[in-house]
Amino acid sequence: MQLCLYYPGLGYYSAGSQKLGHQGDFTTAPEISSLFSQTLARQLQDVSKQLDSFDLLEFGAGSGKMAIDILLQLEKDNALPLHYYIIEASAHLQSIQREVISNAIPHLEKKVSWLTSLPLQFSGIILANEVCDAMPFHRLHFENGKPSECYIEKGREGIQWTQHHLLNKELSSRSKTIHQINGGTDYYAEVNLIAEAWLTSLATSLDRGALFIIDYGHCRNSYYHPQRQQGTMMCYYQHQGHDNPLILPGLQDITSHIDFTALAETALASGLDVEGFQTQADFLLAGGITDLLQTNEKSESTFNNFQQKTALKRLTLPSEMGENFKVLTLTKNLPELLPRLQSADRRYSL
Ligand SMILES: C[S@@+](CC[C@H](N)C(=O)[O-])C[C@H]1O[C@@H](n2cnc3c(N)ncnc32)[C@H](O)[C@@H]1O
C-alpha cells in the first residue's frame, strides 16, 4: 500500500493523474461544497477564541480547496490565523496546492506555507480530512480463531496474496481484542498502526489547541462487527469502488475505514482530551451549516442555490456522507469546553 500510493513519481498520490472530483476517482467533502469548510471554520473559532494567537496546520490538503474556503471564511469572520501550514505527503499534490492557492487567494497566499516536519510546541488547530484512511494498514485474516497477517508477494503471474503468522507483538495483542468482538470462523480485519503513531507524534507536538480528525469509520465494536467479514479495505478507480488492491497498482486509491476507538485510546494515552465524537451530519448541523446556506442563498443565483441544497444533502444525509463519516475532536490545555461538540455527542460509543 505504501509503494502503491506513495512511491515517488509512480505511486497513486505521487504521480500526476487527477484524483479528486468528477474527473478523478473519488470526491471528498471539501470538494462537494464550500459549505463544508465554511462550517468547519465556524467550529475552529470556538477553539481559536480560547488562544491568544493561533496557527492552523492541515494534513494532506488534497487539491487545496479546503485551505482556500477556510481562509476565506475566517477572513470574513475577522478570525484569521497567524499561519496556515500544510503537511502533504505527495510532492505532486503539493505543487497543485501551491498553484491553486496562489491563484484563488493571492492576498492571503503569504499566510500559507508547507512544512516537511511537525512544528515544536504548536499552539493552534490541526486538521485531517480523509487522511488517516490513506495511511497503510495491516490486514489480518482469522481462520477458526487463528489470526495471520496478509502480505503481497511476487508470484509467477504477478503479485498475489500470501499469509504468515503474526510477527508483530502489537498486532498479536490487537488480534485477541478483535476476535473477542467478532468471534467468526473466517473473516478479515484491518489495523492501522501508522495512524496511531501519527497521532502520538501530533500529541507531542501540540502544546495547546485542538485536533479535528474527519474520516469514514466506526467505533471498535462496530468496526470489527461479525457482519463485516471482509473487513473495510476498499479501492477506488474512476468512482468505482471494489476490493482488489492487486490490480491497477499506482493508478487506483486504496483505503480502509478508521477504528475511532483506537484513535481515542491513543489520544488519551498521549495526553490529549477526547472532547467530542460526532457523525459528520451532527458536527455540521451544530456548526450552523443550514444558517450558512441561508446566508449564501441571498447572494447566489437560483441554480447555485439548488446546487448548494443538493450538496447539503450529500454532506448530511445518513444514506450519503452524514452517518459513515465521523468527527473526532481532541484537545489539549483548553480552558473551556467546545459548546457545539456537546450536541449529539457519541463518545459513549467509543
Ligand atoms: C483522500 S486524500 C484527501 C485530501 C483532502 N484532505 C480532501 O479532503 O479533499 C488524502 C490526502 O492525504 C495525503 N496524505 C496521506 N498520508 C499523509 C501523511 N502521513 N502526511 C501528510 N499527508 C498525507 C495524501 O497525499 C492526500 O493529499
Side-chain angles (χ1 to χ4, degrees), residues 114-298:
W114 283 260
L115 304 180
T116 48
S117 59
L118 282 171
L120 295 174
Q121 299 195 312
F122 183 79
S123 175
I125 304 162
I126 304 175
L127 304 170
N129 187 63
E130 286 205 43
V131 177
C132 294
D133 70 81
M135 294 183 184
F137 50 81
H138 294 270
R139 187 162 208 234
L140 307 185
H141 185 197
F142 292 77
E143 288 169 293
N144 297 317
K146 205 167 161 286
S148 30
E149 180 162 10
C150 304
Y151 290 89
I152 308 293
E153 67 177 7
K154 216 170 153 187
R156 278 208 201 112
E157 292 174 16
I159 50 175
Q160 62 191 29
W161 287 108
T162 183
Q163 290 186 187
H164 200 286
H165 65 265
L166 299 186
L167 299 169
N168 178 321
K169 272 194 192 148
E170 187 54 39
L171 284 183
S172 301
S173 137
R174 295 299 170 90
S175 70
K176 291 185 188 114
T177 314
I178 296 170
H179 195 60
Q180 270 169 11
I181 298 170
N182 189 298
T185 51
D186 189 349
Y187 63 96
Y188 291 88
E190 289 79 35
V191 180
N192 192 335
L193 297 180
I194 292 187
E196 294 171 34
W198 166 81
L199 181 53
T200 305
S201 60
L202 293 191
T204 311
S205 153
L206 185 66
D207 187 40
R208 197 166 182 207
L211 166 54
F212 292 86
I213 299 177
I214 310 168
D215 226 311
Y216 37 88
H218 323 274
C219 59
R220 181 171 289 148
N221 282 339
S222 172
Y223 194 86
Y224 296 117
H225 193 276
Q227 278 177 348
R228 245 182 267 285
Q229 271 191 348
Q230 293 302 314
T232 68
M233 179 180 68
M234 284 295 287
C235 304
Y236 290 94
Y237 181 68
Q238 297 185 350
H239 295 273
Q240 301 287 322
H242 66 87
D243 64 358
N244 186 359
L246 303 188
I247 59 168
L248 302 168
L251 297 177
Q252 64 177 358
D253 193 19
I254 308 172
T255 78
S256 74
H257 288 206
I258 295 306
D259 169 5
F260 278 105
T261 304
L263 292 187
E265 284 175 355
T266 305
L268 288 176
S270 340
L272 295 171
D273 293 320
V274 179
E275 183 94 12
F277 180 55
Q278 292 162 299
T279 64
Q280 177 169 293
D282 290 328
F283 180 81
L284 293 176
L285 291 169
I289 193 168
T290 46
D291 298 342
L292 278 162
L293 177 76
Q294 277 176 356
T295 314
N296 292 354
E297 270 182 348
K298 289 179 192 141

Side-chain angles (χ1 to χ4, degrees), residues 77-133:
D77 297 341
N78 209 9
L80 279 169
L82 288 177
H83 305 98
Y84 193 110
Y85 296 122
I86 294 177
I87 295 188
E88 172 54 66
S90 152
H92 169 68
L93 284 176
Q94 196 185 118
S95 71
I96 290 182
Q97 291 156 15
R98 284 181 193 277
E99 192 183 327
V100 170
I101 290 171
S102 158
N103 288 339
I105 45 170
H107 63 299
L108 294 171
E109 189 187 0
K110 274 205 196 114
K111 294 232 167 253
V112 189
S113 53
W114 283 260
L115 304 180
T116 48
S117 59
L118 282 171
L120 295 174
Q121 299 195 312
F122 183 79
S123 175
I125 304 162
I126 304 175
L127 304 170
N129 187 63
E130 286 205 43
V131 177
C132 294
D133 70 81

